Each structure stands twice: as C-alpha cells, then as structure tokens.
Amino acid sequence: MDRVKDLASAKAAVIFTKSSCCMCHSIKSLFYELGASPAIHELDREVSGREMEWALRGLGCNPSVPAVFIGGRFIGSAKDVISYHVDGSLKQMLIDARAIWF
Amino acid sequence: MVAYDSSDRSKDKTDQKTLRRLAQNREAARKSRLRKKAYVQQLESSRLKLTQLEQELQRARQQGIFISSSGDQAHSAGGNGAMTFDVEYARWLEEQNRQINELRSAVTAHAGDGELRIIVDGIMAHYDEIFRLKSNAAKNDVFHLLSGMWKTPAERCFMWLGGFRPSELLKLLVNQLEPLTEQQLTGIGNLQQSSQQAEDALSQGMEALQQSLAETLCSGSLGSSGSSGNVANYMGQMAMAMGKLGTLDGFIRQADNLRQQTLQQMNRLLTTRQSARALLAIHDYFSRLRALSSLWLARPRE
C-alpha cells in the first residue's frame, strides 16, 4: 500500500496497469490524447506487484487495473475514467492537478 | 439302392424346415431393408424442411419481427444465452415503442414540462435497462453481442463495439435541437469531442487485443523438440488466447458505459422539451434504419 501511495503521489497523473491488459492500453491512449503524460507502472513488472494489486483492490478498484490516480487521489478504473470524461470532470481534475493546462 | 428309412425322412423334413426358415428370413430381411429405406427418406425430407424453416425464422428475426420460441433452444446459433437475449431485446423494443408513442402524443398535445419530464425520465430509465441486459448477455456470449445478429442488417452495418456510436448520434441530433443557447452549444460540442475521444481510446484497445491475440496464435509452433513439446506449446498458446478472449466483454461493457453516459449527459445539457425532441429523433432514426433493413431484405432480385 505504501508503494502504491508513494508512486501515486509522485506525479500529477499515475496509472497502474498490467503489460497484457488491453483496457489499460485504452485508458493510456485517452490520457495521451488529452495531453497528459501519466506515469505508468506495470504491476506484472513490479517486484511487489501482487501486494500492490491487493492494495488497489482494497481501494475498491475492480478490476484492479487500470487504476488511475490524479493529484495523488484515487479516481477509479476504466468505467470511472470514461464516466468522468463524458461529464467533463476528468479534464478539470487534470487541469487542477496541473497534469494538463487546457 | 439306397435304403430309405425314418431317419432319412426326418432329415428330409429338417431340410425342408430349414429351407422354409431361410426363405422366411430372407423375406423378413428384405422387408426390413425396405422399411429402413423409407424411414431414412422420411428423415431426409424432414431435415430439409427443418433447414428451410430455420432460414425463414432467421430472416423474419432480422426484419425485427418478434418470434416467440418454445423449446428447441439448442438450435439457435450460440445456444441458450443468445436466444434469451434476442427475446429480451425484442421485448425491450416493444416497450420502447410504447413509451415513444406516449411521448409523441404528449408533445403533439403541447403537454406541460412536468408531464414531459416524467415520460422522458421513464425513457432514460428504459435505456438503462437495455445496457443492463447487454451487460449480463456479454458475460454469457460476448460474440453474439459483437456479431450484431440481434440487430437488423442496416443497423449492424454502422455498429461499433456491439452498439451505436455515441458521437454519430450526437451529430445527428445537433441540427434538430435548435435553438440552443451558447452554453448548450459548448456543452454539446464538448460532449461530442469527449465521446469521440473515448471511442478512439476503446477502439485502440480493441486493436491491441486483436494484435495480441494474433501474436499468441502465431507464435512458436515450429522448432520444438519432439511432439510432447509441441502439444505443451499448443496448449499453452490456447490457454493464453483464452485469457485474452475473456477480456472482450470488458470492452463491450465500457462501450455500453460510454453510450449510457453520453445519453445521460445529453439529457443533463438539454431542457425537458429539447430532451423529448432528442429522444424522438433518436428513435425515429433507428426505426428508419430498421425499416430500411426490411425493405432491403424484401427487395426484388433477379
């Protein structure tokens, strides 16, 4: 959990993924399209990947990846990101966290 | 001269009995063959009839006609799950037609905002219902949903990830919703852009999945030492491919999530009266696509 928290606070936009997860690819694409440069952490490439996945599930992230953090705050998984994007709040969150400028 | 005694006579009788028995056996065998031939011919013609009926049923279903099915669920492509969803979808369409007619009457009769709001909310809730049904169906048979066989041909042609493309729908509506305030125009414009971006993102994920699947199925089938290596390889590949296929329903679910969110956001941005017009316009568009499919299927061919 600490590792998750540390990594999540290290950058304005942080996404936890797995290298084989194609939905993660979608969410990453969306962030790049918006001009954000999120930090990507692949759980299957992390030493404590299993504990981190467990911690993410504990936060309520289901499925565990992709897990999105903006400004250190847990936003949700793919479903949440899409919902926030449609109602315009995703962009605002990214602007507030200074991940993007407009 | 050969002595003709009782034992000879009984041997004669035995021979005659045997001959008669053999003849009767031959006759019975012949009759049995004829019966079997008749039975097989009957089966063949029944099979042909069954195939014809299945084709007619398929054609009728494609035309959007609700066919109630009793028994024989194993025969539909995809089995039980697909049939259940098709039935649920047909029922959903019927209910939607009813609600839309109610809305149309209310609009024509210049009903007040309060009454319109109730009907509009009902239709929005009904849309939630189809997304819920699709989500359940995706767990059972994602390929059936993706195939679009539950829609008419023309609808199927414009399908994206198991349903309509939200950004396209908004483009259709914008002209019909005037006059819109500045704020509304901005809102709708943003919504169009957001749904387009989300669509692109999901499409890219799907492409990545297809590529990943292709790579899994193509990799290292040659070069293993011995047949046991090949079998283990093959099974490993298949297991991995199965895992990837399992993520397909996640994409349909997010595509439906996008559709649902887009409709809800549109409803938020518009006045009650505008929402009513939007919902009528959406329904009319899909109705016409379905009618087009029927016309197309019934067109005269050489």
Side-chain angles (χ1 to χ4, degrees):
Chain A
M1 189 60 216
D2 287 334
R3 179 126 178 91
V4 166
K5 273 210 179 116
D6 289 342
L7 291 174
S9 331
K11 227 183 160 192
V14 178
I15 311 181
F16 294 94
T17 67
K18 279 185 190 162
S19 56
S20 57
C21 169
C22 292
M23 186 56 73
C24 298
H25 183 98
S26 282
I27 298 302
K28 281 193 294 184
S29 300
L30 184 61
F31 271 67
Y32 296 145
E33 177 63 27
L34 295 176
S37 311
I40 310 291
H41 301 290
E42 294 182 330
L43 294 185
D44 51 333
R45 302 264 157 88
E46 291 269 334
V47 171
S48 50
R50 211 160 275 243
E51 285 84 28
M52 291 167 72
E53 183 169 0
W54 198 78
L56 289 170
R57 277 200 204 276
L59 285 175
C61 199
N62 186 28
S64 56
V65 291
V68 175
F69 290 76
I70 300 180
R73 205 163 57 93
F74 175 61
I75 301 302
S77 189
K79 183 174 193 207
D80 307 292
V81 169
I82 289 175
S83 305
Y84 289 136
H85 186 49
V86 168
D87 73 11
S89 43
L90 181 71
K91 229 182 189 181
Q92 196 52 51
M93 286 188 248
L94 288 170
I95 291 173
D96 291 345
R98 290 206 253 268
I100 60 176
W101 305 104
F102 49 82
Chain B
M1 195 163 162
V2 177
Y4 188 75
D5 60 19
S6 59
S7 69
D8 278 340
R9 220 174 302 150
S10 63
K11 197 158 163 236
D12 228 3
K13 254 198 195 141
T14 321
D15 283 341
Q16 277 194 342
K17 270 194 192 158
T18 310
L19 285 173
R20 193 171 35 238
R21 191 165 45 79
L22 288 174
Q24 281 173 343
N25 279 354
R26 274 198 301 275
E27 186 56 35
R30 194 178 70 88
K31 285 206 177 119
S32 172
R33 278 196 300 276
L34 284 173
R35 275 199 305 274
K36 184 176 177 187
K37 191 173 173 194
Y39 179 61
V40 169
Q41 275 175 347
Q42 201 186 38
L43 277 181
E44 285 293 308
S45 62
S46 294
R47 195 175 63 85
L48 269 170
K49 187 109 211 279
L50 185 61
T51 313
Q52 276 172 358
L53 283 173
E54 278 179 335
Q55 282 175 350
E56 272 180 43
L57 193 60
Q58 180 66 2
R59 226 173 287 134
R61 211 178 263 132
Q62 282 177 349
Q63 290 175 28
I65 300 168
F66 172 62
I67 312 272
S68 88
S69 52
S70 52
D72 212 13
Q73 289 175 330
H75 251 286
S76 76
N80 221 346
M83 191 78 114
T84 314
F85 176 72
D86 286 7
V87 167
E88 287 174 330
Y89 176 64
R91 255 184 232 138
W92 183 88
L93 265 181
E94 269 179 49
E95 175 60 20
Q96 212 206 13
N97 286 335
R98 197 194 61 74
Q99 288 183 334
I100 289 288
N101 285 336
E102 193 186 349
L103 183 61
R104 209 187 304 275
S105 305
V107 168
T108 316
H110 305 292
D113 269 17
E115 188 185 335
L116 283 180
R117 188 78 249 160
I118 293 174
I119 307 175
V120 163
D121 285 350
I123 295 177
M124 291 302 293
H126 194 57
Y127 268 113
D128 288 346
E129 182 60 19
I130 188 61
F131 294 126
R132 195 186 61 80
L133 289 172
K134 284 177 79 181
S135 174
N136 290 338
K139 293 192 197 104
N140 289 324
D141 195 349
V142 64
F143 288 113
H144 178 64
L145 281 181
L146 274 172
S147 76
M149 289 310 291
W150 51 284
K151 283 185 185 267
T152 64
E155 289 174 289
R156 205 178 304 144
C157 181
F158 299 109
M159 223 177 56
W160 169 78
L161 273 185
F164 65 84
R165 213 180 245 281
S167 60
E168 279 307 310
L169 209 65
L170 290 172
K171 279 187 205 152
L172 296 166
L173 288 178
V174 168
N175 298 329
Q176 308 198 35
L177 290 175
E178 286 155 11
L180 292 165
T181 67
E182 277 300 316
Q183 201 180 25
Q184 283 180 325
L185 277 170
T186 312
I188 301 257
N190 288 339
L191 181 57
Q192 236 172 298
Q193 191 188 41
S194 302
S195 57
Q196 183 72 64
Q197 285 168 336
E199 281 166 31
D200 290 345
L202 287 174
S203 294
Q204 282 177 45
M206 264 301 264
E207 273 174 42
L209 180 57
Q210 272 178 295
Q211 200 155 328
S212 168
L213 196 59
E215 276 165 25
T216 306
L217 293 175
C218 290
S219 64
S221 41
L222 311 163
S224 276
S225 57
S227 58
S228 64
N230 278 336
V231 168
N233 233 6
Y234 180 83
M235 283 166 63
Q237 273 177 280
M238 285 297 157
M240 211 153 70
M242 283 288 283
K244 295 191 174 163
L245 277 189
T247 64
L248 261 178
D249 83 300
F251 278 95
I252 296 244
R253 202 169 293 122
Q254 290 317 317
D256 277 345
N257 179 31
L258 180 62
R259 290 176 194 116
Q260 189 176 26
Q261 295 300 324
T262 305
L263 283 172
Q264 286 176 359
Q265 178 69 358
M266 179 202 78
N267 188 33
R268 259 177 248 133
L269 289 171
L270 301 176
T271 65
T272 305
R273 215 154 284 271
Q274 285 169 330
S275 280
R277 289 214 314 267
L279 291 174
L280 289 175
I282 292 172
H283 180 265
D284 286 348
Y285 172 69
F286 286 117
S287 257
R288 285 176 198 163
L289 264 183
R290 285 192 284 271
L292 189 63
S293 295
S294 296
L295 284 173
W296 180 258
L297 286 169
R299 77 192 187 282
R301 285 167 252 209
E302 293 106 67

